Amino acid sequence: NNINQVKYEELLETIKNMDIIFNTVPSIILNEKEIENIKQTAIYIELASKPGGIDLEIAQKLEKNTFFWRCTFNWNKFYKMC
């Protein structure tokens, strides 16, 4: 039940224990080695702008059933509502 920030150097080892992954880095940081270590039951939530932090082609190739979700919040519409 912990929320932890992970340093990139620790990612490969720690990602295998994560149930929910939030990414805010707008650059691919999860490549084949990292994706192989993601649990099949993990949830990946993308908060960064494109291209996001995960290589989706590799995730599909590795047949990961992990749930991927990309946040697409439009700040221009939000400011117009205020």
Side-chain angles (χ1 to χ4, degrees):
N1 295 346
N2 296 325
I3 297 175
N4 297 312
Q5 177 180 341
V6 177
K7 294 179 182 178
Y8 183 74
E9 300 80 29
E10 302 167 350
L11 187 58
L12 187 59
E13 183 60 31
T14 59
I15 201 166
K16 62 186 171 189
N17 298 317
M18 296 179 184
D19 295 312
I20 302 174
I21 302 164
F22 291 92
N23 179 59
T24 59
V25 179
S27 181
I28 302 291
I29 59 168
L30 299 179
N31 293 299
E32 191 164 357
K33 288 181 181 179
E34 292 84 5
I35 294 169
E36 286 175 341
N37 283 340
I38 294 175
K39 293 181 187 180
Q40 288 287 12
T41 57
I43 297 172
Y44 177 86
I45 300 176
E46 184 64 71
L47 299 173
S49 59
K50 291 184 179 181
I54 192 166
D55 189 323
L56 291 174
E57 288 182 20
I58 291 176
Q60 287 177 331
K61 183 182 96 177
L62 294 174
E63 298 180 353
K64 284 289 181 175
N65 295 323
T66 306
F67 178 76
F68 297 102
W69 186 72
R70 178 181 292 277
C71 179
T72 55
F73 189 80
N74 187 326
W75 283 104
N76 291 328
K77 287 183 181 180
F78 175 76
Y79 285 124
K80 289 176 184 176
M81 293 184 332
C82 294

